[in-house]
Amino acid sequence: PEASLLAGILLGVDSGLPPDVQQAFRDTGTSHIIAISGFNIAILVALLAGVFGRLLGPGRTGSRRGAVLAILAIAAYAILVGGSASVVRAAIMGGMVLLAGQLGRKGSGLNALVLVAAVMALANPFILWDIGFQLSFAATLGLVLFALPLSLWFERLVSRWLPQDTARRLAAPVGEYFLFTLAATLLTLPVILYHFQRLSLVSLLANPLVLPVQPAVMVLGGLATVFGILWLPLGRVLAYLAWPLSAYTIRAVEWLAGFPMAAINVGRIGLAAVIAFYILLLAAVFLPPALRSRLQSRGASISKDPQVLRVWSWLSVAGLAALALLTVLAWQAALAAPDGRLHLTLLDVGSGEALLIRTPGGRSLLINGGPSPAALSDGLGRRLPFARRRLDTLVVAGVANNQLAALPATIERFPPARVLWAGLPEGSRSARRLRQDLAQANVPLDEAETGQVLDLGDGITLEVLATGKQGAVLLLRWENFRALLPLGMDVESLEALQDDPRLRQVSLLLLADQGAAGVNPPEWLKQLDPQLALLSVSANDSRGLPDPEVIDALEGYTLLRTDRNGWIEVDTDGEQMWVEVEKR
């Protein structure tokens, strides 16, 4: 329903906003968007605990019942907004705060953060590579370590010229809108530079402008979603009440992103520099100034000083953390190493397609990119070797916006060595921008031709069966394995290929155009007779795809869909296939 969709947009769920708007949000500082999600959870914790505590009776009993219901409501909210890493982290910490309060224990932000991170990593080790998790953890750590010291510093500074009470009242809004942003930025900056190679020069202005309206956006958006499910007209009214606030947020971000030099590219930042930054920062935090001077003036006797022992214990913890990180990276490199198989991964990027191919020899080839830069970047970051974040080949097999919108932002982080282009260069706005970016980066580009064959090594070939204005139809072959990839299929290409003897009983078929009936007729599917059919589509496709007649024609075949199965990986040795999916 319209109300639920709008509320989903307000709550931060992937909304299909235009790529330029999404880029504008990134340009103003990803850490602040992540921090706002945690801030919203904090508001929700306080709001629900207070309301439920009053409604369920006075005293300790009402407070306990209210805390239990608040924890359940927070869990429901986390599921409602998609369960991203940042939201899950904030929800667990919010629940721990309520639990600690009911047990009469004093909460420790640092202990809670480390425990939550450990639990999430235990449940899903791959979450350590999730950019949202990294940013959320870093932003929260920055607030835990620096929010209070910065506020006290500002209060002492202002109290030199103003009365103490006035300084204290002034420190609250300044801390919330500026100093807390600075604390989150300090810890998230290395992560942002490492993943995005982009430094925002206006990010410190973004939070003070948009933060005041976020509680209202969150509350009204959440109510709109809930009541929109129960009764659509009421949900729509609540969503329209929230619309001016969300529109203001987007316009403010766009306005800031439009400033000259709002964000600058800083180039690739090595992992060693990021680790060194955090080690030095943590050492500075846990190494008091008085102790630093004492270390300089005292020799061997300092080893007996309790403060020195405390510092060395923290440095030992930092060293162990660095070793743990290196261990994780080593395992990722080992798991990403060539294993003698051909890997095809259909990434879950929404209504579009992004197919990553990794050969037995270690080559990586990406076909199209889909509409979501965040989803594409996350998918590539999880699968490409950590020390080799380049693509050997980028194949543009379709030029529609939903096939290429993610690529202009992503090729900065995963640059291709060469590009094979099929379809009109001016086929869409995203195609035009991608061509411009590739030209500026001096990436070699070849125009695809019918009959052209790419040698991927180890006897693996990628053949261009047909080309047209919309793109190309590709055939991937290795021994007895054949995968038909009609990403740029049109009616003319379909007619030309219907009598091709090579297209009988293919191993794998990727349905064209998100399962549209016009380019996936039943007789064509029967001719192909695929062992496995794949479909890349979002759960709320704007065109209502896939068409029911296409799904009916595939009855009796094995069909996997990204809207239901998430990412889909097919491995083959040229004879057999092994299939793994994100969700069963």
Side-chain angles (χ1 to χ4, degrees), residues 484-521:
L484 183 63
L485 312 172
L487 292 91
M489 177 78 84
D490 53 23
V491 176
E492 291 77 10
S493 300
L494 179 61
E495 293 176 352
L497 295 173
Q498 281 183 332
D499 297 326
D500 194 322
R502 294 170 296 179
L503 303 181
R504 299 287 191 278
Q505 295 182 335
V506 299
S507 308
L508 183 149
L509 169 66
L510 176 59
L511 294 176
D513 194 18
Q514 288 75 64
V519 288
N520 296 284

Side-chain angles (χ1 to χ4, degrees), residues 333-348:
L335 293 174
D339 58 0
R341 293 181 181 177
L342 176 65
H343 301 265
L344 290 80
T345 306
L346 185 62
L347 303 177
D348 183 11

Side-chain angles (χ1 to χ4, degrees), residues 110 282-283 286-288 291 295 302-303 305-322:
L110 188 59
L282 293 176
F286 296 109
L287 196 63
L291 183 58
L295 286 172
I302 62 172
S303 60
D305 192 309
Q307 282 190 290
V308 175
L309 295 176
R310 176 174 174 268
V311 169
W312 279 113
S313 66
W314 274 108
L315 292 178
S316 300
V317 171
L320 290 175

Side-chain angles (χ1 to χ4, degrees), residues 35-387:
I36 286 173
S37 69
F39 176 73
N40 285 345
I41 291 286
I43 295 173
L44 194 64
V45 169
L47 178 65
L48 294 178
V51 171
F52 289 150
R54 287 184 174 87
L55 291 178
L56 296 177
R60 188 70 175 170
T61 301
S63 176
R64 289 180 176 176
R65 293 174 179 174
V68 171
L69 284 181
I71 292 174
L72 295 176
I74 293 166
Y77 172 83
I79 297 173
L80 180 67
V81 300
S84 65
S86 60
V87 172
V88 170
R89 191 273 312 154
I92 296 177
M93 287 193 69
M96 291 177 62
V97 169
L98 289 176
L99 181 62
Q102 294 304 313
L103 295 177
R105 302 295 298 271
K106 182 180 179 180
S108 170
L110 188 59
N111 291 347
L113 179 62
V114 173
L115 177 60
V116 169
V119 170
M120 294 178 68
L122 182 63
N124 178 17
F126 290 104
I127 204 167
L128 297 175
W129 284 272
D130 185 280
I131 299 176
F133 172 82
Q134 295 172 8
L135 286 170
S136 178
F137 182 89
T140 306
L141 181 61
L143 294 175
V144 169
L145 294 179
F146 299 118
L148 181 58
L150 285 175
S151 295
L152 295 176
W153 167 82
F154 179 80
E155 183 178 332
R156 288 195 301 268
L157 180 66
V158 176
S159 63
R160 297 178 181 178
W161 299 281
L162 297 175
Q164 185 67 34
D165 291 342
T166 304
R168 186 177 297 110
R169 287 194 298 268
L170 184 61
V174 171
E176 182 174 336
Y177 295 127
F178 289 99
L179 300 180
F180 294 176
T181 297
L182 181 62
T185 299
L186 180 63
L187 268 291
T188 56
L189 185 59
V191 179
I192 294 173
L193 296 181
Y194 176 77
H195 286 292
F196 303 104
Q197 293 89 53
R198 188 183 297 272
L199 175 63
S200 174
L201 303 181
V202 296
S203 59
L204 292 179
L205 299 177
N207 230 29
L209 286 178
V210 303
L211 188 58
V213 302
Q214 298 314 303
V217 169
M218 184 201 67
V219 173
L220 290 174
L223 292 176
T225 301
V226 173
F227 287 106
I229 294 173
L230 300 177
W231 189 42
L232 180 60
L234 179 57
R236 182 181 289 117
V237 169
L238 292 172
Y240 282 133
L241 291 177
W243 174 82
L245 304 177
S246 62
Y248 161 77
T249 301
I250 295 175
R251 296 299 178 267
V253 170
E254 291 178 326
W255 176 65
L256 287 173
F259 283 13
M261 298 293 292
I264 58 175
N265 291 324
V266 297
R268 300 191 65 83
I269 304 296
L271 178 64
V274 176
I275 296 176
F277 173 88
Y278 284 119
I279 291 177
L280 293 175
L281 181 65
L282 293 176
V285 169
F286 296 109
L287 196 63
L291 183 58
R292 285 201 296 269
S293 61
R294 195 178 307 169
L295 286 172
Q296 295 173 355
S297 61
R298 297 174 63 182
S301 61
I302 62 172
S303 60
K304 300 178 181 180
D305 192 309
Q307 282 190 290
V308 175
L309 295 176
R310 176 174 174 268
V311 169
W312 279 113
S313 66
W314 274 108
L315 292 178
S316 300
V317 171
L320 290 175
L323 289 175
L325 179 59
L326 292 176
T327 302
V328 171
L329 295 177
W331 272 105
Q332 189 205 29
L335 293 174
D339 58 0
R341 293 181 181 177
L342 176 65
H343 301 265
L344 290 80
T345 306
L346 185 62
L347 303 177
D348 183 11
V349 293
S351 282
E353 59 278 312
L355 183 66
L356 177 64
I357 298 174
R358 291 168 292 161
T359 70
R363 295 187 184 182
S364 57
L365 181 145
L366 176 66
I367 304 178
N368 290 4
S372 172
L376 178 60
S377 180
D378 178 67
L380 295 177
R382 290 172 183 263
R383 291 165 179 84
L384 292 180
F386 183 81

